[in-house]
Amino acid sequence: MADDTDLDLCSAQVLADMARIRPVLDKIADKWTIMILTVLCPKPSRFNQIKRRLDGITHKSLADALKRLERNGLVTRTVLPTAPIGVEYAITPLGHSLRHPFEALCAWALAHGDALTAASAADDRAGRAKEVSSTAY
């Protein structure tokens, strides 16, 4: 692990660059972006294929997210000459450049998800204990 001096320097640099960092993170760190790009990373997919793989996403949320990803240059949309007309979405090289950071984030989520859940449960129990003790007198 980095020493405190390195962490202080890194933190100071991030804070100095926040005006440039924040808008980028706002575009890639929402509820569905990571999962959509993960689905598209191996191969292009049609809308309903993406929707089936992302259990829980609504039609509107997926449509809005895909439009936003296309606007930001992370996804391409290709109209297929089929009957009925189909649309296929593919990840761009820019979107593909997020693969390693997203894989690391997903691996972290798998490794530490139980710890987050346990911490939340412990905090909930502590909160209830505080409420009971403050109303007991």
Side-chain angles (χ1 to χ4, degrees):
M1 182 162 180
D3 65 28
D4 289 343
T5 304
D6 290 340
L7 293 175
D8 288 342
L9 290 172
C10 182
S11 179
Q13 187 62 52
V14 167
L15 290 173
D17 293 334
M18 190 59 65
R20 291 179 37 219
I21 293 170
R22 177 72 188 259
V24 174
L25 292 180
D26 286 346
K27 291 175 182 165
I28 64 167
D30 62 55
K31 182 174 181 178
W32 291 109
T33 295
I34 294 171
M35 300 309 296
I36 292 169
L37 292 177
T38 300
V39 166
L40 291 175
C41 200
K43 64 180 182 178
S45 298
R46 291 184 178 211
F47 185 92
N48 284 329
Q49 291 171 317
I50 299 167
K51 189 171 183 305
R52 277 191 297 274
R53 293 199 56 204
L54 297 175
D55 187 37
I57 193 168
T58 65
H59 184 94
K60 182 178 181 347
S61 292
L62 180 56
D64 291 348
L66 287 168
K67 286 176 191 170
R68 189 175 54 256
L69 291 169
E70 183 181 12
R71 181 175 186 269
N72 292 325
L74 300 171
V75 165
T76 59
R77 178 182 184 272
T78 303
V79 177
L80 303 172
T82 59
I85 292 176
V87 176
E88 187 174 73
Y89 296 90
I91 195 167
T92 65
L94 179 62
H96 195 65
S97 71
L98 288 165
R99 179 180 171 204
H100 293 296
F102 284 177
E103 284 176 351
L105 187 57
C106 289
W108 185 92
L110 288 173
H112 300 286
D114 290 342
L116 290 173
T117 301
S120 295
D123 186 67
D124 290 347
R125 286 190 302 275
R128 280 193 292 270
K130 288 177 192 172
E131 288 174 15
V132 169
S133 67
S134 68
T135 59
Y137 56 92

